[in-house]
Amino acid sequence: EMDFVHSVLSTGPNKIYKDFLLNGEIRDQDLDKLISDAPARNSQDEGFVKPIIMGYQNNSVELISDIEELLSFCKKNNINTKVLINPVYRSTFLVNNCDLFFDFLNRLVTVTDFYDFSNHNKITTNSYYFYEPVHYRPIVGNAMVDLIYYNKRIDSIPDFGEFITKENINVHLEKLRKEVVMEIQKKP
């Protein structure tokens, strides 16, 4: 295992992977600069204009079983876990089967509480925060860590992320459904 790490660290062109091994963060500084310098150009990228379809098969039962198994292993080995739903760019979220996603969330909460960052907000609707529709930039990951570990929110985006439990899942799902309906009605 360490041979692999040393091989990555000793090669020149793998700076992104070196950063990941050294500090756990993948950051493409060149792409970050391009996005920061010209955010409008990023929004015209094909991935934002033509959303990614992630599939329509329902494999929630298998996924939940795998998650249960992983969480059980972690508990047996005293490994603390946090479960979260990543944000994706909103147009990609909307072209996929939202009902399957909501079903997955409803099943997930029977196994564990989790943080959901998928709701409609200033991050999920702004391409500036994404490299492409399903990979967010480090600024977003840092905001997620701040909420999960420090209960700190971005002042200008108070609705980014919500802690979901069996007690609030129905209200959360209803809110997500309303967001989807409102966004679909806005489309020409």
Side-chain angles (χ1 to χ4, degrees):
E1 291 177 13
M2 288 311 292
D3 288 341
F4 169 75
V5 171
H6 290 299
S7 72
V8 170
L9 292 176
S10 65
T11 56
N14 291 322
K15 173 139 179 41
I16 293 171
Y17 300 111
K18 285 181 188 178
D19 288 347
F20 178 71
L21 288 171
L22 293 173
N23 64 28
E25 183 178 274
I26 293 178
R27 179 180 295 245
D28 185 333
Q29 292 179 348
D30 295 334
L31 187 53
D32 276 334
K33 182 167 177 21
L34 281 172
I35 294 169
S36 294
D37 290 349
R41 180 178 42 200
N42 190 48
S43 69
Q44 297 307 309
D45 181 87
E46 183 179 343
F48 295 107
V49 176
K50 183 179 176 184
I52 297 169
I53 297 176
M54 294 187 250
Y56 284 86
Q57 63 226 25
N58 186 350
N59 55 359
S60 291
V61 174
E62 294 87 5
L63 287 171
I64 297 302
S65 176
D66 291 346
I67 292 169
E68 260 184 313
E69 187 178 328
L70 180 61
L71 291 172
S72 176
F73 172 84
C74 290
K75 186 174 183 177
K76 286 178 189 169
N77 291 282
N78 295 316
I79 300 169
N80 293 327
T81 58
K82 304 281 185 190
V83 176
L84 59 96
I85 304 299
N86 283 332
V88 296
Y89 188 66
R90 204 60 183 171
S91 62
T92 291
F93 180 91
L94 291 172
V95 299
N96 285 279
N97 188 328
C98 293
D99 289 331
L100 285 180
F101 177 66
F102 299 153
D103 178 65
F104 170 75
L105 295 181
N106 209 26
R107 291 175 191 263
L108 180 61
V109 81
T110 65
V111 174
T112 185
D113 297 339
F114 61 93
Y115 290 87
D116 187 1
F117 293 93
S118 69
N119 65 311
H120 176 94
N121 57 62
K122 290 180 183 176
I123 288 177
T124 59
T125 58
N126 188 336
S127 65
Y128 174 81
Y129 294 107
F130 293 86
Y131 288 126
E132 39 79 19
V134 295
H135 292 104
Y136 50 84
R137 294 175 61 200
I139 188 172
V140 176
N142 292 338
M144 294 163 66
V145 167
D146 283 348
L147 177 62
I148 292 169
Y149 288 97
Y150 307 110
N151 200 29
K152 181 180 169 191
R153 292 187 176 274
I154 301 170
D155 291 339
S156 62
I157 312 172
D159 58 348
F160 181 59
E162 187 172 346
F163 186 64
I164 307 302
T165 66
K166 290 176 186 171
E167 288 75 32
N168 69 359
I169 185 67
N170 291 331
V171 171
H172 181 65
L173 289 175
E174 185 59 30
K175 181 176 121 183
L176 290 177
R177 284 185 183 99
K178 285 180 181 176
E179 289 173 356
V180 168
V181 168
M182 284 179 17
E183 289 180 67
I184 290 172
Q185 289 174 348
K186 281 195 295 188
K187 291 190 176 203

